[in-house]
């Protein structure tokens, strides 16, 4: 067959007969899917997000069913922490320390088209405390004075 088929679903049918001209019963049928389009991937938390809670829900949303090959958070493979019911949406809830996080995802659809995505986000669940060091008690002897602030990171 010298025809270029477009993406889509096709039915392949085959019939044959034996030396006595009797056709096979039933007719052989097989569904064949042509798919050369990469799956799309949406990652939450999105790129450049700042999260203020240590409990982080990570979701991977694909537009079609996929086989997730790897999910790496700061070079640690966390693929096994994800669950799915439809092979399209994968979720995991993780308790993360404060800091910059880099999530890398790689998956294949069933036609082996690759989806690759990433998201860099910040977990900042411990608030910074700012204290006034000078002028002491917030009182200055003149209208010209220095201000000194102390930042306390927990």
């Amino acid at each position: 067959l010298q025809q270029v088929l477009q993406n889509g679903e096709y039915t392949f049918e085959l019939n044959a007969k034996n030396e006595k001209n009797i056709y096979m019963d039933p007719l052989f049928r097989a569904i064949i899917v042509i798919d050369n389009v990469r799956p799309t991937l949406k990652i939450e938390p999105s790129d450049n997000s700042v999260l203020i809670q240590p409990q982080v829900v990570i979701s991977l949303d694909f537009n079609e069913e996929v086989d997730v090959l790897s999910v790496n958070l700061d070079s640690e493979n966390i693929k096994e922490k994800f669950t799915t019911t439809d092979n399209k949406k994968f979720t995991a809830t993780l308790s993360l320390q404060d800091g910059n996080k880099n999530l890398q995802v790689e998956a294949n659809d069933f036609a082996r088209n690759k989806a690759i995505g990433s998201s860099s986000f910040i977990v900042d669940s411990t608030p910074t405390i700012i204290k006034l060091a000078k002028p002491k008690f917030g009182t200055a002897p003149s209208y010209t004075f220095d201000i000194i602030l102390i930042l306390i990171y927990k």
Side-chain angles (χ1 to χ4, degrees):
L1 180 65
Q2 290 287 339
Q3 181 180 1
V4 176
L5 298 175
Q6 299 298 317
N7 279 344
E9 186 174 296
Y10 297 88
T11 302
F12 173 74
E13 295 180 341
L14 175 71
N15 202 345
K17 58 184 176 178
N18 64 15
E19 65 277 354
K20 295 180 184 178
N21 276 345
I22 298 174
Y23 284 95
M24 59 188 269
D25 188 27
L27 178 73
F28 173 79
R29 283 192 173 98
I31 301 296
I32 298 174
V33 176
I34 306 295
D35 176 10
N36 62 10
V37 178
R38 290 177 181 250
T40 60
L41 167 60
K42 179 183 175 197
I43 300 174
E44 289 293 333
S46 59
D47 212 25
N48 299 317
S49 295
V50 178
L51 309 173
I52 60 172
Q53 297 295 325
Q55 289 297 109
V56 177
V57 177
I58 299 175
S59 69
L60 312 173
D61 288 312
F62 296 89
N63 66 326
E64 62 180 295
E65 291 184 38
V66 298
D67 176 26
V68 174
L69 304 174
S70 66
V71 181
N72 292 316
L73 181 64
D74 297 333
S75 301
E76 178 188 345
N77 188 349
I78 60 168
K79 173 186 164 187
E80 300 305 320
K81 297 184 182 194
F82 284 81
T83 60
T84 185
T85 58
D86 62 1
N87 288 335
K88 288 181 172 184
K89 182 176 179 106
F90 298 80
T91 58
T93 301
L94 306 173
S95 182
L96 300 177
Q97 298 293 319
D98 281 6
N100 297 329
K101 308 298 177 188
N102 186 16
L103 185 73
Q104 301 283 331
V105 180
E106 187 175 335
N108 282 344
D109 67 10
F110 295 148
R112 305 188 128 259
N113 298 306
K114 190 172 291 295
I116 297 174
S118 65
S119 176
S120 294
F121 57 92
I122 299 169
V123 177
D124 187 13
S125 62
T126 308
T128 301
I129 298 172
I130 300 174
K131 290 194 174 190
L132 181 64
K134 188 175 178 183
K136 197 168 190 172
F137 307 113
T139 304
S142 67
Y143 66 90
T144 304
F145 56 90
D146 293 331
I147 294 179
I148 297 176
L149 302 175
I150 298 173
L151 301 177
I152 302 170
Y153 301 97
K154 292 206 173 201

